[in-house]
Amino acid sequence: MSHPIPESFKAFRIHNDDDGYRAGIETVTLDDLSEGDVTIQGHWSSVNYKDALAGTGKGKIANVFPITGGIDVSGVVVASQNGRFAVGDEVLVTGCRQSQKRDGGYSEYLNVESDSLVALPDGLSLREAMAIGTAGFSAALGLYRMEANGQRPDMGPVVVTGATGGVGSFAVDIFTAAGYEVHAITGKVDEFDYLESLGAKQCISRHDLHWGQKPLETARWAGAFDNVGGDMLNGLTRVVGEYGNIVSCGLAGGFGLNTTVMPFILRGVSLLGVSSENCPQDLRATLWQRLASEWKPPHLDSICTREIAMDGLMDTFESMLTGRSFGRTVVKLN
């Protein structure tokens, strides 16, 4: 089955060639874009930290050029060569090499590989799926990994770092909804009320943190979800209690890790990685089902604070990279 697709349409394209690194809205055709066995009309996308790095050239994200930006997209199938998806199906893609090795979601139409597609689960709209996007999916994947490794609410409070960002906000909201007492660390002390509205029981300024210098300090939390890396992650290893889990999900504070084996061999602490980009597809579908039901963020409208069109992308990228962004931004494609 097929659906009429315009000969040309708009996409946010990124170039890196002899004329320099540049990005903006262009008119393209499907033949200009990556191949795929399913074609979708893009309805919504979102802005993630990776998108800002790729769109401005301030981080090496894309491996091929020119390329369409946007690691997330939701929309409706308009042509399909795969029996699992039919014209009219509502679908979403997060990660899966979009805007890295293949054209991404900032496009009115795009070809996608069916093995990266997830059918939109009941309980979510296309817009809600992108309000959650990679950020919310990463938070859910972190919770899944912690619980698979034995984390339970009755073990004690879990701390979330970088808590006012997209991933951090979702972590506070989703962990609270799952029954955990959540503490939040942020450099934005003026957003304590916001974090408390998401469910945080205690808010801590990162400027007031004093970890101590011993390999093991007094345990303060039963687990941690870290979006920062660097010194923050170093400190967390010293203050998480016995058989607690620490999820590493970001590197805004640095990619180095300077710790000792003491937390791991004396307290049984586990350090768990979260890579939403290459999450196995069966687990990806399972987590989206949970994000549409028991893990659906209760305060999604508070976290998703902004809606833009594609022509607002560059300004949003700059705000995100200079620490002026807040919560989540969705992108209306059509």
Side-chain angles (χ1 to χ4, degrees):
M1 297 179 65
S2 63
H3 176 87
I5 300 169
E7 184 175 330
S8 61
F9 48 88
K10 302 295 185 183
F12 182 87
R13 299 283 278 173
I14 304 168
H15 297 262
N16 187 16
D17 52 29
D18 292 342
D19 293 326
Y21 201 103
R22 62 199 185 280
I25 299 173
E26 300 175 13
T27 299
V28 298
T29 70
L30 277 179
D31 290 339
D32 296 324
L33 305 180
S34 304
E35 296 181 351
D37 56 350
V38 177
T39 301
I40 69 172
Q41 181 185 31
H43 283 220
W44 296 94
S45 185
S46 61
V47 181
N48 300 281
Y49 196 70
K50 273 187 176 181
D51 297 318
L53 291 174
T56 60
K58 295 180 179 178
K60 183 174 171 52
I61 304 299
N63 300 130
V64 296
F65 298 95
I67 196 167
T68 305
I71 66 173
D72 296 343
V73 68
S74 67
V76 177
V77 174
V78 292
S80 177
Q81 302 174 47
N82 183 282
R84 293 192 299 119
F85 298 98
V87 172
D89 286 353
E90 295 183 319
V91 293
L92 65 95
V93 186
T94 54
C96 297
R97 302 179 300 166
Q98 290 197 131
S99 190
Q100 180 182 2
K101 295 183 178 181
R102 57 179 294 112
D103 289 304
Y106 295 155
S107 186
E108 293 179 328
Y109 291 84
L110 64 155
N111 301 313
V112 296
E113 297 171 327
S114 55
D115 60 4
S116 69
L117 274 178
V118 174
L120 185 75
D122 292 339
L124 283 181
S125 68
L126 291 171
R127 186 185 188 280
E128 287 176 325
M130 288 298 97
I132 294 171
T134 286
F137 181 82
S138 297
L141 181 56
L143 176 55
Y144 173 88
R145 293 218 64 198
M146 290 177 75
E147 293 195 334
N149 206 45
Q151 197 77 37
R152 304 183 314 274
D154 62 9
M155 293 169 63
V158 169
V159 67
V160 175
T161 69
T164 58
V167 180
S169 294
F170 279 121
V172 173
D173 206 25
I174 293 172
F175 276 65
T176 299
Y180 290 83
E181 178 180 324
V182 177
H183 297 178
I185 296 174
T186 179
K188 299 177 179 177
V189 296
D190 54 338
E191 301 298 345
F192 278 7
D193 288 345
Y194 162 73
L195 293 170
E196 289 173 358
S197 76
L198 300 182
K201 297 300 183 185
Q202 183 177 351
C203 297
I204 305 158
S205 168
R206 64 177 170 84
H207 306 293
D208 295 333
L209 287 172
H210 301 283
W211 300 113
Q213 297 303 313
K214 293 185 294 185
L216 291 176
E217 296 286 346
T218 301
R220 298 176 62 179
W221 296 291
F225 187 104
D226 177 51
N227 291 292
V228 178
D231 290 340
M232 182 72 76
L233 183 54
N234 300 341
L236 288 172
T237 62
R238 301 199 287 271
V239 295
V240 166
E242 293 182 356
Y243 289 93
N245 295 284
I246 302 171
V247 163
S248 175
C249 192
L251 46 65
F255 58 80
L257 180 59
N258 180 25
T259 188
T260 71
V261 300
M262 297 304 186
F264 312 115
I265 66 173
L266 296 182
R267 285 182 175 166
V269 170
S270 295
L271 181 60
L272 305 175
V274 164
S275 177
S276 60
E277 171 71 25
N278 51 14
C279 176
Q281 196 62 14
D282 55 347
L283 177 56
R284 189 182 295 274
T286 296
L287 290 178
W288 276 106
Q289 289 289 343
R290 299 191 77 170
L291 282 165
S293 51
E294 71 266 30
W295 285 359
K296 186 173 183 178
H299 301 94
L300 185 56
D301 289 341
S302 298
I303 296 171
C304 185
T305 57
R306 191 178 183 205
E307 178 181 314
I308 63 170
M310 278 193 282
D311 60 7
L313 282 168
M314 290 303 295
D315 286 343
T316 304
F317 293 161
E318 292 295 340
S319 293
M320 180 171 282
L321 294 179
T322 55
R324 292 179 288 117
S325 65
F326 178 79
R328 286 279 287 169
T329 297
V330 290
V331 185
K332 189 172 185 179
L333 302 173
N334 279 279

